[in-house]
Amino acid sequence: AQSVTQPDIHITVSEGASLELRCNYSYGATPYLFWYVQSPGQGLQLLLKYFSGDTLVQGIKGFEAEFKRSQSSFNLRKPSVHWSDAAEYFCAVGTGQAGTALIFGKGTTLSVSS
Amino acid sequence: TAGITQAPTSQILAAGRSMTLRCTQDMRHNAMYWYRQDLGLGLRLIHYSNTAGTTGKGEVPDGYSVSRANTDDFPLTLASAVPSQTSVYFCASSDSWTGASNTGELFFGEGSRLTVL
């Protein structure tokens, strides 16, 4: 069965600084990988996804993530954080099989300091 | 585009009472899911449905039931609520048809916050 680990529960970054949120997955085949963001009191919004091709994927709001099969990782990055990026971020893995649910990590809360 | 609509957005419920959380989608997605979100635990799958007329159990199904009478609706019922069911509940859907363009992305509702006292 697949699983996702987000090692960092809470991260604080200064506004304008770079950001990297870590995600490690466990799955025997090629995974389908996702990053979602949740603002306070809101639902989850897809930031980006990887399922094949170029291992560096671009998403919305200036985010990108790199799939590294050798490290079983799919870390999320942003070169310059804005105060509006403060939110909870979830990494998720899927099998790509029709209709199967995604497995989510426990999330990383991002705080942005001025 | 409405996407997924959940109701109610918030509810306080006495322990032992029953409650149905409603979920409706207008994207004609075949697969639908219920997750609960708890602090420090992320999102955990309660029940899912791959297509109308079928349902399955997720990671934490005890105390919950679902039905899928049609494509659009996927209600979640708590027959006799307990305080440990206090949580935020998210309904989600995905297009389950096999194909290169289907990556299994989930589309989420805004959530239903349930407090059981």
Side-chain angles (χ1 to χ4, degrees):
Chain A
Q2 62 270 37
S3 65
V4 177
T5 300
Q6 293 181 247
D8 304 305
I9 297 173
H10 189 191
I11 285 181
T12 299
V13 176
S14 298
E15 189 169 17
S18 63
L19 169 71
E20 182 170 31
L21 301 182
R22 296 182 291 165
C23 172
N24 294 98
Y25 69 90
S26 174
Y27 182 58
T30 300
Y32 285 53
L33 295 162
F34 306 81
W35 275 100
Y36 284 84
V37 61
Q38 183 183 31
S39 297
Q42 302 296 312
L44 280 77
Q45 180 184 21
L46 181 71
L47 281 176
L48 47 78
K49 59 188 175 184
Y50 168 82
F51 57 98
S52 67
D54 193 347
T55 57
L56 183 64
V57 294
Q58 303 297 320
I60 62 171
K61 305 184 180 185
F63 286 91
E64 66 178 26
E66 186 172 13
F67 170 56
K68 293 185 177 180
R69 184 187 299 274
S70 62
Q71 299 177 18
S72 298
S73 69
F74 188 56
N75 294 350
L76 182 72
R77 301 194 294 249
K78 187 170 185 178
S80 178
V81 169
H82 188 262
W83 64 265
S84 60
D85 292 324
E88 189 157 20
Y89 292 79
F90 292 95
C91 182
V93 63
T95 65
Q97 296 174 9
T100 57
L102 299 184
I103 302 300
F104 286 82
K106 294 183 178 180
T108 298
T109 300
L110 174 65
S111 298
V112 180
S113 61
S114 56
Chain B
T1 302
I4 293 185
T5 302
Q6 292 186 234
T9 56
S10 181
Q11 182 75 45
I12 299 174
L13 187 66
R17 300 296 295 270
S18 65
M19 176 75 193
T20 294
L21 303 179
R22 301 184 298 279
C23 175
T24 300
Q25 55 112 351
D26 64 1
M27 297 175 282
R28 307 302 293 173
H29 284 166
N30 287 295
M32 297 188 74
Y33 313 87
W34 275 105
Y35 288 87
R36 60 177 289 174
Q37 183 181 20
D38 303 288
L39 190 65
L41 298 178
L43 286 90
R44 293 179 293 169
L45 183 67
I46 304 171
H47 284 287
Y48 65 92
S49 170
N50 286 335
T51 189
T54 69
T55 62
K57 295 181 179 180
E59 178 186 359
V60 288
D62 294 343
Y64 306 95
S65 64
V66 292
S67 61
R68 188 86 184 278
N70 57 61
T71 297
D72 298 341
D73 301 300
F74 191 43
L76 177 73
T77 297
L78 290 69
S80 179
V82 295
S84 62
Q85 293 177 309
T86 294
S87 186
V88 181
Y89 292 86
F90 286 98
C91 181
S93 72
S94 70
D95 185 352
S96 64
W97 294 116
T98 301
S101 63
N102 177 21
T103 61
E105 173 188 351
L106 296 188
F107 296 82
F108 284 88
E110 292 294 306
S112 295
R113 181 176 296 275
L114 179 65
T115 302
V116 182
L117 302 176

